[in-house]
Amino acid sequence: MPARAEISRDEVAHLAELARIDLSDAELDHLAPQLSVILESVASITAVAGDDVPPTSHPIPMTNVFRDDVVRPGLTAEEALSGAPAVEEQRFSVPRILGDEQ
Amino acid sequence: MSDLTRRTAAQLVDALATGEVTSVELTQAHLDRIAAVDGTADAGIHAFLHVDAEGALAQAAASDERRAAGRVAHALDGVPIAVKDVLTTTGLPTTCGSKILEGWVPPYDATVVARVKAAGLPILGKTNMDEFAMGSSTEHSAYGPTRNPWDLDRIPGGSGGGSAAAVASFQAPLALGTDTGGSIRQPGAVTGTVGVKPTYGGVSRYGLVALANSLDQVGPVTRTVLDSALLHELVGGHDPLDSTSIDRPVGGLVEAARQGATGDLTGLKVGIISELAGDGWQPGVMTRFAESVALLEQAGAEVVEVSCPSFVHAMAAYYLILPAEASSNLAKFDAMRYGLRVLPEGVDAPSAEQVMRASRDVGFGDEVKRRIIIGTYALSSGYYDAYYGQAQKVRTLISRDFAAAYEKVDVLVSPTAPTTAFRLGEKLDDPLAMYLNDLATIPANLAGVPGISVPAGLADEDGLPVGFQVLAPALADDRVYRVGAALEALLEEKWGGALLTQAPELDGAAR
């Protein structure tokens, strides 16, 4: 699909939903035009490289980097929980994860 | 003892070794300087987000004890350092300049921090930065901007403006930074300091809160090239905790810096990158750059012009790859295990997802939101091939340009940034204008090659620092130190001292 150099307010709202960020109407009004300008500036890239150019995901290629299979110390439960917003019975305490309809 | 803060780290190493000063005296002198000039978000330099006077003095006292007992841990044992707030530190908050991590104290040290601690360098505190290292001005910090020591109304560069401003204003002799698209080199350029982005994988990133994993690199921020080499050799080298870490010893950098300082570059081939000049490049920047090139020639280097045609697409590739990686990295801030948790207003018994959305709205600033949304877009089905896939191909073309260039020359050079420091607020709501600051620094991150920025003088039109960038092939970090040190020596001979001796005194800046 050819890339379009524009992004609508509705699309931004949808992307924010996918990215799990509540955006207010004021934020959508502010960010949507800026995002269009950014996308316009990068749109030129769609025509730069042909099919014969392989992609690079990593500048210094490495494969199968393993460490020795030996026990090494990790965090204690107290350390792991030390930054948690809420803790209960040595566990992370989180809000409900199911919706009413589930 | 106030002159202690003016000395280079290498000079402080000697002063400690001869017993002229103690680490406690040194550390106290820097803490006094911080108290005098750093101020707050509203006044002063504001390079630090957290100052750890007590901890630094305790580490300094321990260093002095080791020295008295003849058990010095490292040449830099006792020389204080500042650490960018994106590197995890036990016992000290690590916020990444973000509200979402306000007050978070990590349960583990970054490998570079562990190496600094083991070598006995007292940690003065954590330095300010653009939120999650997204920015070129440090104005995107949730805790207020850092100010440029050369002009308090101007930006110190970014994202590592805090580390650069701290060493430029003599609050620390050494600092650690991180460079994803220029965040060490561009602040170095606009504050008249030295900054190095090592070869990708040359310094461990374990405990670096990732922005874009395929681009991020930790590196030194200092006032001299030799000091950067000393710090680079300390923190560099293989780390089994970082799977992208290169498994070979780091070395020869200090030696290269000392050799370069003799000012002899006979036999060296230098390439000027044709694409990094022209419209939008400040005349005063180009004048200082041309003078520095002439000095390299006088030192015996052979200078030619080299074309890297794909570099014109580097910005576009970078601003797709970076947001794509960042949007996925920042998904971990879900308000569940650590960081800010905000309950949505007017919702009874909100779900975890609703809490996550509300927390991320309150916890992230505008630039982070922009990049998360661009990244989510670039990775979404239907656009993936056109944007992210193409950006990865352009990355290949840029690497090929570097490879072709390095067949003809030993190092490539350009100005580090197109302009000198701009005014605070000037580009804050114009993301594209802000992104253009990284034009010359981004290609090195895309290709993983090392780069240095050294001060090249002050631009005629505004009297502000200009940076000179040297790039070398991957794993040839020693070359950037050799050429950087040579240029530094030749320029200082011309100036009659370091560029920073011309910077404002800043007395009473904190008030």
Side-chain angles (χ1 to χ4, degrees), chain B residues 31 92 99 113 178 195 200 278 305 380 399 408 439 444 455 510:
Chain B
L31 290 169
L92 268 184
K99 283 281 178 218
V113 169
T178 61
Y200 182 83
E305 201 162 301
S380 55
S399 291
K408 294 178 218 141
L439 206 60

Side-chain angles (χ1 to χ4, degrees), chain B residues 3-15:
Chain B
D3 73 318
L4 285 178
T5 59
R6 300 268 156 175
R7 297 198 204 172
T8 70
Q11 289 168 341
L12 294 176
V13 165
D14 293 340

Side-chain angles (χ1 to χ4, degrees), chain B residues 42-332:
Chain B
D42 301 317
I45 302 296
H46 195 229
F48 284 90
L49 292 178
H50 320 280
V51 175
D52 184 23
E54 204 181 313
L57 287 169
Q59 290 156 18
S63 170
D64 288 334
E65 277 173 35
R66 275 193 301 276
R67 196 171 290 276
R71 290 185 287 106
V72 177
H74 184 271
L76 289 168
D77 194 340
V79 179
I81 189 169
V83 175
K84 189 178 181 183
D85 207 29
V86 72
L87 294 161
T88 58
T89 43
T90 52
L92 268 184
T94 299
T95 69
C96 302
S98 181
K99 283 281 178 218
I100 213 160
L101 281 178
E102 188 163 16
W104 181 57
V105 180
Y108 67 104
D109 277 326
T111 294
V112 291
V113 169
R115 286 183 183 175
V116 158
K117 285 182 176 175
L121 287 76
I123 295 177
L124 295 165
K126 303 296 289 290
T127 57
N128 200 7
M129 55 185 283
D130 285 297
E131 186 175 3
F132 289 109
M134 297 184 196
S136 309
S137 70
T138 316
E139 292 170 289
H140 293 308
S141 167
Y143 304 100
T146 297
R147 295 174 196 84
N148 192 318
W150 289 82
D151 178 346
L152 297 180
D153 291 330
R154 290 181 188 264
I155 60 105
S159 66
S163 282
V167 299
S169 58
F170 303 98
Q171 301 186 62
L174 301 169
L176 284 173
T178 61
D179 191 313
T180 304
S183 290
I184 287 176
R185 289 163 289 158
Q186 181 257 5
V190 299
T191 58
T193 55
V194 176
V196 176
K197 183 203 94 73
T199 295
Y200 182 83
V203 179
S204 169
R205 299 179 306 159
Y206 178 74
L208 160 62
V209 181
L211 167 56
N213 308 60
S214 76
L215 303 163
D216 296 339
Q217 190 51 215
V218 180
V221 174
T222 64
R223 289 190 293 268
T224 71
V225 175
L226 177 59
D227 286 359
S228 271
L230 287 164
L231 183 54
H232 188 158
E233 285 197 359
L234 167 62
V235 298
H238 185 239
D239 176 15
L241 297 177
D242 175 357
S243 61
T244 61
S245 173
I246 295 168
D247 190 2
R248 66 172 75 182
V250 65
L253 308 177
V254 170
E255 194 190 327
R258 290 195 199 279
Q259 192 207 340
T262 62
D264 182 11
L265 294 176
T266 308
L268 183 86
K269 283 191 179 170
V270 175
I272 299 173
I273 304 168
S274 325
E275 283 73 16
L276 298 180
D279 283 351
W281 293 77
Q282 191 176 319
V285 169
M286 295 316 295
T287 306
R288 292 291 92 83
F289 173 70
E291 280 173 9
S292 293
V293 170
L295 282 178
L296 296 182
E297 262 183 317
Q298 285 168 30
E302 183 192 329
V303 179
V304 295
E305 201 162 301
V306 176
S307 176
C308 295
S310 296
F311 281 21
V312 297
H313 304 295
M315 277 273 300
Y318 178 83
Y319 279 103
L320 286 165
I321 290 169
L322 180 138
E325 293 187 17
S327 66
S328 121
N329 274 322
L330 296 182
K332 65 175 164 277

Side-chain angles (χ1 to χ4, degrees), chain A residues 18-19 22 24 27 37 62-63 68 70-71 77 83:
Chain A
L18 291 175
D22 275 342
S24 65
E27 281 183 298
V37 172
M62 292 187 196
T63 44
D68 292 337
V70 291
V71 178

Side-chain angles (χ1 to χ4, degrees), chain A residues 3-4 6 10-14 19 21 25 38 40 43 49 52 56 63 65-66 68-69 72 77 86 97 100-101:
Chain A
R4 294 162 311 153
E6 203 168 299
D10 286 350
E11 273 180 295
V12 174
H14 175 63
I21 304 174
D25 285 344
I38 296 171
E40 218 167 278
D52 56 328
T56 297
T63 44
V65 178
F66 298 120
D68 292 337
D69 187 15
R72 49 178 295 270
I97 55 167
D100 293 333
E101 71 278 11

